[in-house]
Amino acid sequence: MNKDIFKEVAKQFNTTPDEVKNEIQQAIDEAFNNPDPKIRRLWNNIPRKNNRPTAEEVIEYMSYEIMKRRNMS
């Protein structure tokens, strides 16, 4: 994954790339704890190295899904 995305967002919001990544990871961590079975199935679709996906893994997966859906239209 291209790490420049964190730099670009940081630049837009006058913060650091690490802060952007940390904020995204906090949102992922909070959402990952959702007990709803439908939501749990969605999380299970995201390829990851560990139990909880990283910001990079979620962004990469979502980017892939967006591209895939655009190509279906």
Side-chain angles (χ1 to χ4, degrees):
M1 186 189 116
N2 187 342
K3 307 268 184 189
D4 288 342
I5 188 74
F6 298 121
K7 289 179 187 175
E8 290 297 319
V9 173
K11 188 176 179 180
Q12 289 178 7
F13 291 92
N14 197 33
T15 188
T16 66
D18 284 340
E19 183 61 27
V20 170
K21 184 177 172 182
N22 289 338
E23 290 286 328
I24 293 170
Q25 190 64 53
Q26 284 180 322
I28 290 167
D29 291 344
E30 186 174 324
F32 191 78
N33 292 327
N34 189 322
D36 183 315
K38 290 180 184 178
I39 303 299
R40 301 297 326 143
R41 281 192 297 277
L42 292 172
W43 281 116
N44 288 335
N45 289 332
I46 300 174
R48 55 188 178 265
K49 293 180 182 176
N50 296 309
N51 179 44
R52 191 171 300 251
T54 64
E56 292 92 346
E57 290 167 333
V58 171
I59 291 169
E60 188 172 326
Y61 174 77
M62 292 180 77
S63 298
Y64 171 78
E65 287 297 313
I66 290 167
M67 294 297 285
K68 187 169 74 172
R69 291 176 187 188
R70 280 188 181 167
N71 290 333
M72 292 178 144
S73 317

